[in-house]
Amino acid sequence: MPSDLSTSLQYLKGVGPKLAETFAKRGLFTFEDALYYLPRTFEDRRQPTPIIRLVPGLKAVVRGKVVDSKWTGGRGRRQFEATLKDASGKPLTLHWFHTVPSLKDEFVLGREVTVYGEIHFFRGRLQMNHPDFAGGEVISPEFSGVLPVYTSPENLSQKVVRKVVRGAVESSMPLIQEPLPGAMLERLGLCDLKTALKMHHFPETVPDAPTLRRALDRLIFEEFFVFQLGLLLNRERRALAPVMQDSSGVNELVKSLPFALTGDQERAISEITRDLGLPLPMTRLLQGDVGSGKTVVSLAAAVMAARSGYQTALMVPTEVLAIQHFQKARELLKELFPVLLVHGAEKMVSEKVASGESKLVIGTHALFQEAVRFHRLGLVIVDEQHRFGVRQRRELIDKAAGVPHLLMMTATPIPRTLSLTLYGDLDLTIIREKPKARLPIRTRMIFERDRETLYGAIRKRIEAREQIYVVYPLVEESEKLDLKSAIGMFEELKKVFQGASVELVHGRMASEEKERVLDGFRRGAVSVLVATTVVEVGIDVPNATLMVIEHAERLGLSQLHQLRGRVGRGTKASECFLVSKVPTQRLRILVQSDDGFVIAEEDLKLRGAGEFLGTRQSGGTGFRLGDIVRDGRLLNTAHEEASRLLVEDPGLEKPEHKILKKMVETRWKEKQDFVTGG
Ligand code: ADP
Ligand code: MG
């Protein structure tokens, strides 16, 4: 028996360091890991099948007498063959292609043996290749009954895997204590832990699907529940965030705006300012489609922080966007306080941040730099949050002396199940209403051969003194090549539209140069802006009315939608042209819909949840059994139950929660890396 469940599998009898290493590669390090290493299916070996009833493809147990056994195969390739007969009188050939000397001693003429394997039809005979076998008298539990079938690490045989897992589970059983309160199990209709594990590892019968599902649900629920408790407990243990009480500046800002806020914007501001006034750290996601006016909402929050004596850091994914936010904020907040843009580690800049003179500091990951030290950081705003990794956000949060409030903004809807796993409890504010006077954007597909039509459309816009984006996607693997073709396109457009101002902007350019070009575009001095996807997020030029996306088939739906959102921001009718070689389903969706929520959902469907969630958002969600998409309902229940339990017993101090608390603490340590500040 292991001393506790975190003991390395290496100490299981019959498993040495080498075998343990093989299991470790599959994520099986400890006895506990083995407990939750569930079989993928079961084999029913309880009843032998008479040979006469065997058919090819069937996996069966056969019991019979050895009537013949011999070495076969010539020229150095020794093979072994034995023939069994049972009461039905029909023969079954057993065949080994490469062989073990002991076979001859096992399959002695006249002996009664039991074998298991898949039946083939070979040269007019029924045959079983490399069967699993046991002597007639003693049939070990590793051979008979209903056997679990596990995914094999490396190419270990099922026999070995089964033996190790079985051994580990069996010897762990005395250590297993039920962590979940009995009343909860009863209320949710879940079975206890030992029953769930036994049903998987030592089934007495082949469990039917609903029964198995219930046992699995129990284990997945436990996994989610323990994790949610960890998140919530951790959150409660955090230090308090600053209480901000001076909202006078918010009204001043709102009055000074050149437009009236939409109802949703007003609601968003009031939810956020309410949060800022509470000592509980805010973790709020502001979700609103492209162009729904999230920026001004976040500025209102920054104003509240500033008036209350705290600094705000606004983090954005690209420098271009940083510059734009900076200009916008400076313009809107000029009456209120100075705003600072962090470029590099310029000394003067750092001093202004450190002294607290700068109330709102805007930048990209440059904000993470060691040299940047805040005086009193009270609010962190992350724009286009989906573009940042969990770790990056955490680094910024750690810059605050205490715990800052956190406001994230996104145009890409995050499924609730995902936010629950990443943040535990994320408050959500959704802006659905778009600012008035926004005209729909007409979207169409354009194929290579229609380039003249495209140029005609561009020319018309130039003549009307409107502005045009031509986007060239850079794909990481072929960045250099793509950049070359973006430059090529730029040269061509310059030639085609002689007399008009055509400029190029891309991520590799020096930032002063970038700024110069973008500034020209913003002022209307540049008509056609050829750009890489650096303009994807946030750029706001109301006079731009045509978006051309070259190689549109290379981009994801949400990305295309974001790009398209760069136009249609003013009062003139805008268009978006998706240039591609072939029409694709993705592009069609875009032509049909302008609703970011619909598009995100379609994107999820097309790309599959795994990819949508896994790679972009979290790098895998790190659950052993649970799948946050498939088991979303269980995750929600787990979250509710965890909140409920903590109301009843805030620190999990009650004696009946002792086992649970220990489990939460152990597992939390392993998971921590993976979760954001929330
Ligand atoms: P996003 O939500 O995509 O970040 P922005 O905050 O960039 O959107 O807003 C897009 C444009 O709409 C900006 O020019 C902004 O000034 C303007 N805007 C924001 N709110 C309103 C409103 N209530 N009425 C009119 N225009 C607005
Ligand atoms: Mg924005």
Side-chain angles (χ1 to χ4, degrees), residues 257-262 265 288-297 324-325 328 332 383-384 409 411 431 434-436 438 538-542 562 565-566 569:
L257 293 173
F259 46 77
L261 293 178
T262 63
Q265 280 173 317
D289 204 355
V290 200
S292 59
K294 298 184 289 292
T295 314
V296 62
V297 172
Q324 179 186 285
H325 272 351
K328 188 107 196 175
L332 293 176
D383 196 10
E384 311 291 347
M409 304 196 279
I431 303 187
K434 287 203 183 176
K436 308 266 163 356
R438 194 150 283 177
I539 297 280
D540 184 30
V541 179
Q562 286 267 354
R566 299 307 110 215
R569 300 186 152 240

Side-chain angles (χ1 to χ4, degrees), residues 41-72:
T41 178
F42 299 92
E43 276 171 11
D44 188 352
R45 298 194 186 178
R46 285 169 302 178
Q47 290 296 329
T49 307
I51 296 177
I52 197 153
R53 299 235 315 267
L54 296 177
V55 285
L58 185 74
K59 283 184 170 174
V61 176
V62 176
R63 182 176 284 200
K65 263 205 175 83
V66 180
V67 295
D68 187 20
S69 83
K70 57 179 183 279
W71 299 106
T72 64

Side-chain angles (χ1 to χ4, degrees), residues 525-543:
V526 173
S527 291
V528 182
L529 182 66
V530 182
T532 56
T533 35
V534 294
V535 297
E536 173 186 340
V537 283
I539 297 280
D540 184 30
V541 179
N543 191 47

Side-chain angles (χ1 to χ4, degrees), residues 163 170 183 218 442 451 474 580:
K163 199 166 168 184
E170 226 159 31
R218 137 80 220 205
R442 206 179 92 151
R451 205 158 265 285
L474 286 198
S580 92

Side-chain angles (χ1 to χ4, degrees), residues 322-342:
I323 295 166
Q324 179 186 285
H325 272 351
F326 170 64
Q327 289 174 339
K328 188 107 196 175
R330 201 172 45 180
E331 178 195 318
L332 293 176
L333 303 176
K334 64 176 178 284
E335 305 287 308
L336 296 165
F337 53 79
V339 179
L340 189 74
L341 177 70
V342 172

Side-chain angles (χ1 to χ4, degrees), residues 319-583:
E319 211 169 310
V320 169
L321 189 55
I323 295 166
Q324 179 186 285
H325 272 351
F326 170 64
Q327 289 174 339
K328 188 107 196 175
R330 201 172 45 180
E331 178 195 318
L332 293 176
L333 303 176
K334 64 176 178 284
E335 305 287 308
L336 296 165
F337 53 79
V339 179
L340 189 74
L341 177 70
V342 172
H343 260 313
E346 301 148 40
K347 201 152 189 267
M348 204 186 66
V349 165
S350 309
E351 273 166 16
K352 282 186 180 168
V353 180
S355 71
E357 186 189 331
S358 299
K359 301 290 185 239
L360 171 57
V361 185
I362 301 176
T364 59
H365 48 273
L367 285 176
F368 300 140
Q369 286 167 143
E370 272 302 302
V372 183
R373 294 208 192 287
F374 288 87
H375 175 60
R376 277 180 102 191
L377 180 59
L379 170 64
V380 172
I381 304 173
V382 183
D383 196 10
E384 311 291 347
Q385 76 84 31
H386 62 282
R387 302 273 302 242
F388 291 97
V390 168
R391 213 151 268 145
Q392 282 174 304
R393 280 195 293 259
R394 171 147 231 145
E395 271 178 293
L396 187 65
I397 291 163
D398 288 345
K399 281 238 166 237
V403 176
H405 293 286
L406 176 63
L407 174 65
M408 293 175 283
M409 304 196 279
T410 186
T412 309
I414 307 179
R416 171 162 164 83
T417 47
L418 179 64
S419 64
L420 276 181
T421 19
L422 291 181
Y423 311 101
D425 209 359
L426 183 67
D427 296 308
L428 186 63
T429 298
I430 299 179
I431 303 187
R432 285 188 184 277
E433 202 179 337
K434 287 203 183 176
K436 308 266 163 356
R438 194 150 283 177
L439 297 166
I441 304 161
R442 206 179 92 151
T443 303
R444 50 190 287 201
M445 285 190 253
I446 283 275
F447 305 110
E448 269 314 315
R449 60 174 187 275
D450 298 329
R451 205 158 265 285
E452 280 312 309
T453 319
L454 178 65
Y455 289 169
I458 295 178
R459 185 165 289 114
K460 262 209 199 123
R461 298 274 171 179
I462 294 176
E463 281 161 8
R465 309 200 134 272
E466 291 168 25
Q467 292 165 279
I468 301 105
Y469 292 99
V470 180
V471 171
Y472 238 89
L474 286 198
V475 183
E476 244 162 76
E477 309 89 69
S478 55
E479 202 179 302
K480 272 203 186 126
L481 252 158
D482 289 339
L483 191 56
K484 234 173 108 184
S485 43
I487 294 170
M489 170 67 28
F490 166 59
E491 299 293 345
E492 177 178 329
L493 292 176
K494 259 205 308 204
K495 254 185 251 146
V496 177
F497 302 107
Q498 272 175 20
S501 164
V502 181
E503 294 273 7
L504 173 72
V505 64
H506 60 77
R508 292 277 178 93
M509 275 159 66
S511 43
E512 297 85 67
E513 181 63 7
K514 251 191 275 186
E515 212 169 323
R516 189 190 61 74
V517 175
L518 285 169
D519 199 49
F521 192 67
R522 239 177 250 122
R523 283 186 290 105
V526 173
S527 291
V528 182
L529 182 66
V530 182
T532 56
T533 35
V534 294
V535 297
E536 173 186 340
V537 283
I539 297 280
D540 184 30
V541 179
N543 191 47
T545 54
L546 177 58
M547 167 60 71
V548 179
I549 306 171
E550 298 276 351
H551 296 293
E553 77 283 352
R554 290 187 192 166
L555 297 173
L557 265 180
S558 299
Q559 221 180 349
L560 289 166
H561 180 63
Q562 286 267 354
L563 279 170
R564 174 170 63 179
R566 299 307 110 215
V567 297
R569 300 186 152 240
T571 49
K572 292 172 206 152
S574 298
E575 272 180 305
C576 174
F577 285 20
L578 306 169
V579 186
S580 92
K581 287 203 182 72
V582 285

